[in-house]
Amino acid sequence: LVLLFLFKKFKIMNIIYFNPDELRADTLGCYGHPLVKTPNIDRLAARGTLFEKCFVQHTVCSPSRCSFMTGWYPHTRGHRSLWHLLQPDEPNTLKYLKQNGYQVHYLGKNDLLSNEAVDDCIDVLYPQMPNWSHERRYDDPAHPGFMSMLCKPVEGEHADYHRVQAAVEFIRGWRAGDKPFMLFLGQVLPHCPYTAPEPWYSMYSPENIPPLLAESIENAPSFHRWIKEYRRLNECRDELEQIMAVYLGMVSYVDHMFGMLLDALDESAAADNTTVFFFSDHGDWAGDRGLIEKWPSALDDRLVHVPLIIAAPGGKAGHRVAEPVELFDIAPTVAALTDTPLRHSQYGHDLTSQLNGEPGDPDRAVFAEGGYDQNTDIACFEHIG
């Protein structure tokens, strides 16, 4: 606690966000998955605090990211779609930290800031890198698996890998006395299409994965049918276990890259004054319920329940918080860790007491919201009838 107080007093608490896209909580070893190998994510949990029940505010990338950077629900300023990003007049964690003397480094996927807001929020914006050139597992459009997002193994490394390498280089070069930094790694994986390089692509056999959630549920929303018909998933049910197996391989590939970052941090001058946040923006069905990807008004646990692991210097190691939290709680938590005042009303809760070993609030309710443009939904699926 004394160490944490000193870091806050002198404002040298560096912050790292490692933010995979579309990674659900139940597919990590430290969250209880019986098969998947995630040793590096698990070691972050062993040295910090794991929040067992963290829920997102929306199940699509941009609304979720706008929420966790502001502490706002999507409806607060209408951030309900992929295209309504944070504007220059809107507060967010990156902007606050930059104003508080932090050097903000941004690598990877945006889905957060409008072009007009970038300069006020980011000091070093790393160039975008091309992702994999993937090849569908079935190249015949007549094949029922053509629209399933399942692809063949890919050659080489993903752009995420090169982004982590750039982050590693920066961390190794940081020295005591340099400006404190905020390093945001907006990763793409394990977002579909479902593919990975070997050995991760074939790491898990479809025969060994736990049973998928049943396809039929009482009073299932109509978009279940739309997704299945549009993607022809009812015609390729045998592929669903393969999709999940590849998805788990993608998760292990994410873990491998995260391990590169942790190793570099452990060997650097920043090791003892950097808080690492590991979390995702939403989940992915990946074959459960006979579905793939996500949907903007779906609110089941496979999509709204995400990992949140925070390891802070001086915090309690191996702590697990069973009480529910919301993903946008990271906004006030970073503000508290870095002694950065928030100058707007927001709805998140400061989690620093949990980082020091306290339980959460057993009476807390958490909220997620959905919805999209009805005309867009109809346009996408009007041919189904």
Side-chain angles (χ1 to χ4, degrees):
L1 290 177
V2 173
L3 188 61
L4 186 59
F5 170 76
L6 290 175
F7 287 150
K8 288 175 62 179
K9 180 178 178 181
F10 294 106
K11 298 182 181 179
I12 56 170
M13 178 68 79
N14 302 311
I15 302 293
I16 295 177
Y17 281 4
F18 194 92
N19 179 213
D21 190 344
E22 214 152 305
L23 173 59
R24 50 192 248 195
D26 70 311
T27 56
L28 299 178
C30 52
Y31 279 86
H33 197 280
L35 179 64
V36 73
K37 297 178 176 65
T38 52
N40 297 298
I41 301 168
D42 298 351
R43 69 167 154 141
L44 185 74
R47 67 174 65 170
T49 297
L50 181 149
F51 295 86
E52 295 179 353
K53 298 175 182 177
C54 178
F55 296 91
V56 301
Q57 283 63 64
H58 200 283
T59 57
V60 173
C61 306
S62 296
S64 180
R65 290 163 193 259
C66 291
S67 289
F68 71 63
M69 278 292 183
T70 61
W72 285 343
Y73 291 102
H75 71 264
T76 304
R77 287 289 293 269
H79 292 288
R80 287 184 172 276
S81 76
L82 287 171
W83 305 280
H84 185 191
L85 307 181
L86 291 178
Q87 302 300 309
D89 66 309
E90 295 182 286
N92 66 80
T93 297
L94 302 181
K95 181 187 292 186
Y96 280 137
L97 290 176
K98 183 173 179 179
Q99 292 172 345
N100 200 27
Y102 275 70
Q103 187 177 63
V104 178
H105 292 247
Y106 197 109
L107 300 92
K109 184 173 183 178
N110 184 359
D111 284 357
L112 173 67
L113 298 171
S114 64
N115 291 335
E116 297 79 9
V118 168
D119 289 344
D120 289 338
C121 301
I122 299 172
D123 292 290
V124 183
L125 180 62
Y126 291 72
Q128 292 294 320
M129 305 172 187
N131 295 325
W132 280 317
S133 176
H134 51 271
E135 183 179 356
R136 295 175 187 262
R137 188 177 178 94
Y138 305 103
D139 54 13
D140 180 2
H143 192 284
F146 181 78
M147 294 290 291
S148 70
M149 293 281 195
L150 182 60
C151 291
K152 297 176 182 179
V154 293
E155 300 291 335
E157 304 289 0
H158 191 270
D160 283 353
Y161 181 91
H162 300 293
R163 283 189 273 266
V164 172
Q165 283 189 319
V168 164
E169 183 177 348
F170 166 74
I171 290 170
R172 286 176 174 163
W174 189 87
R175 296 290 179 264
D178 291 350
K179 292 178 70 172
F181 65 83
M182 161 50 145
L183 181 63
F184 182 94
L185 273 161
Q187 301 293 81
V188 173
L189 300 177
H191 194 294
C192 56
Y194 304 105
T195 185
E198 296 291 6
W200 293 278
Y201 187 94
S202 304
M203 183 173 286
Y204 306 104
S205 170
E207 290 76 21
N208 295 332
I209 65 169
L212 299 176
L213 289 180
E215 291 189 44
S216 299
I217 57 174
E218 187 177 358
N219 300 320
S222 58
F223 60 76
H224 280 212
R225 176 177 63 87
W226 293 348
I227 295 170
K228 290 176 183 178
E229 291 187 19
Y230 177 71
R231 296 285 182 192
R232 301 180 65 186
L233 297 174
N234 287 328
E235 301 175 54
C236 57
R237 288 191 177 95
D238 292 344
E239 300 292 335
L240 296 176
E241 285 79 9
Q242 179 66 44
I243 287 172
M244 176 60 78
V246 174
Y247 179 79
L248 295 179
M250 297 169 74
V251 171
S252 288
Y253 183 53
V254 169
D255 179 83
H256 168 69
M257 293 183 282
F258 184 57
M260 294 166 51
L261 184 76
L262 284 187
D263 290 345
L265 180 62
D266 289 347
E267 298 165 1
S268 75
D272 296 327
N273 59 346
T274 300
T275 297
V276 179
F277 290 73
F278 182 96
F279 61 95
S280 184
D281 54 353
H282 55 79
D284 186 310
W285 281 300
D288 278 322
R289 301 293 187 204
L291 302 169
I292 61 170
E293 247 214 302
K294 74 275 186 182
W295 189 256
S297 54
L299 298 174
D300 48 302
D301 275 5
R302 293 302 189 261
L303 304 187
V304 298
H305 182 206
V306 295
L308 175 60
I309 307 169
I310 308 174
K316 183 174 181 181
H319 183 44
R320 298 179 73 97
V321 175
E323 296 79 11
V325 299
E326 298 185 66
L327 185 60
F328 64 16
D329 292 343
I330 65 176
T333 302
V334 169
L337 287 169
T338 59
D339 197 22
T340 299
L342 296 177
R343 294 182 293 277
H344 74 290
S345 297
Q346 57 86 45
Y347 304 98
H349 295 203
D350 176 7
L351 301 177
T352 52
S353 62
Q354 282 77 59
L355 304 187
N356 293 321
E358 296 296 320
D361 179 0
D363 298 320
R364 184 177 181 184
V366 297
F367 301 90
E369 62 186 74
Y372 215 17
D373 187 304
Q374 182 178 7
N375 294 321
T376 301
D377 292 348
I378 292 172
C380 287
F381 296 100
E382 61 183 358
H383 65 284
I384 292 177

